[in-house]
Amino acid sequence: QVQLVESGGGLVQPGGSLRLSCASSAFTSDYYAIGWFRQAPGKEREGVSCGNTSDGSTYYADSVKGRFSISRDNAKNTVYLQMNSLKPEDTGVYYCVADCTVVRGPRVGMLANYWGQGTQVTVSS
């Protein structure tokens, strides 16, 4: 079964940067679309990003466009989420996901079949 392990979360000040890592020991990154979700306390989960989508593009939520980006290191079998210009509202638990799908309709959404355990990101002064 697919295994995903996130790391790199922590406390950062507003305007700062953080890079999250997602290591996989049991899946092929080229085969699955890899992405990220996040969830703040008391809030609905939000699809942050999904790479390798059906239309060939990388999806980013409007709330993070221009600030977050996905990259990967194939040699390390690791996917990264680079987060810049962080805001307090970016606070939450971030989950690495595999086999993500972007659902487009009146409101865009994301689905994923495989989830990591999550890593806490706190943006606060």
Side-chain angles (χ1 to χ4, degrees), residues 30-116:
D30 288 270
Y31 180 79
Y32 292 110
I34 309 299
W36 295 84
F37 274 84
R38 69 183 181 185
Q39 186 167 29
K43 302 291 185 179
E44 297 286 337
R45 68 180 183 182
E46 177 185 23
V48 173
S49 183
C50 181
N52 196 29
T53 59
S54 60
D55 66 356
S57 65
T58 299
Y59 165 79
Y60 294 97
D62 289 342
S63 57
V64 307
K65 281 182 179 177
R67 300 187 298 118
F68 291 12
S69 63
I70 290 178
S71 63
R72 69 182 182 184
D73 186 333
N74 290 331
K76 297 180 179 180
N77 200 22
T78 300
V79 174
Y80 304 98
L81 179 66
Q82 179 66 47
M83 306 184 294
N84 299 321
S85 302
L86 284 163
K87 307 173 181 179
E89 49 263 47
D90 294 319
T91 294
V93 178
Y94 283 69
Y95 300 90
C96 180
V97 298
D99 199 17
C100 59
T101 301
V102 178
V103 180
R104 302 185 185 278
R107 182 184 182 276
V108 68
M110 275 178 57
L111 301 172
N113 289 324
Y114 305 99
W115 294 67

